[in-house]
Amino acid sequence: MVSKALTIAGTDPTGGAGIQADLKTFQELGVFGMSVITSVVSQNTLGVRSFVDMHEEFIESQIDAVFEDIRPDAVKTGMLSNPSAIAIVAKKLKEYNVSQYVLDPVMVASSGHELISQEARQSVKEELLPLATLVTPNLPEAEALTGLTIETIEDMKEAGRILVEEYGVKAALIKGGHYKGEADDYLYNGTEFLKFSAKRFDTKHTHGSGCTYAAAITARLAEGDSLNQAVEHGKSFITSAISNPLEIGKGQGPTNHWGHRLTTK
């Protein structure tokens, strides 16, 4: 039987991030992708222009439409810009007893545009983190969630500890894309830290990399991988997507969602 994954997130009309990036990733990894739109975003590789949030009743209706027909094996959330949307998603995750849930805490676009209110940040911590199988913050997001200033590897690990031991998420993947040196990520599962390493590539074309990484992990969880296996596969997928740039767009271009095909040749 085909594995199925659901993304609950905002859009990107240029296709590099958000819902569009998630669905491309699901497809590339052989998983049937479904989507619930939380915000319609006007953006491109140069930045975010504006966005319109979907009403919470419409978000709820979309989620119900999916689960009442084609139940996903794993769920990912991305852009949830306000407390009302977060409350609805949390309610539905509990109602449908979702066991594989990846929380990508989208807070700031690659261009630097704020995508979430301060009130929503608190709602993420209180309502979504306790439900998540995995949270995947980059360093600015980890700082926003924990209140830490992250400058060292130990700071990254401490952020992971706080997210798991104080906020209740089952596991935290602190991504090192904004850190110096190699692109090392640290997964904390409440017992141990695991490091996932990759060479850092000198490219500006990383638009949508966080969405794509989390979507790849979600796809592998839907396929039945363990969390460690899913993160390992996700790391490999995003590394291939970044290391085989498409070099399109006038700004920070998108990652290459079929880069893994080139890497494995």
Side-chain angles (χ1 to χ4, degrees), residues 231-260:
V231 173
E232 183 176 5
H233 278 110
K235 182 69 169 177
S236 175
F237 186 89
I238 190 58
T239 299
S240 297
I242 291 172
S243 62
N244 293 285
L246 296 169
E247 298 184 347
I248 58 175
K250 296 179 180 178
Q252 187 174 355
T255 64
N256 182 351
H257 291 93
W258 61 87
H260 67 110

Side-chain angles (χ1 to χ4, degrees), residues 70-126:
I70 306 174
R71 183 179 175 88
D73 299 298
V75 175
K76 168 191 179 284
T77 59
M79 181 181 175
L80 297 167
S81 68
N82 62 76
S84 296
I86 291 167
I88 285 295
V89 170
K91 170 188 169 184
K92 290 299 173 179
L93 290 172
K94 288 183 281 190
E95 178 181 330
Y96 290 112
N97 195 28
V98 173
S99 61
Q100 299 285 19
Y101 165 41
V102 176
L103 167 55
D104 180 16
V106 176
M107 294 181 176
V108 182
S110 301
S111 60
H113 194 286
E114 292 279 344
L115 295 173
I116 184 172
S117 68
Q118 290 293 332
E119 296 81 3
R121 293 185 183 194
Q122 189 62 31
S123 295
V124 167
K125 291 192 283 187
E126 294 176 357

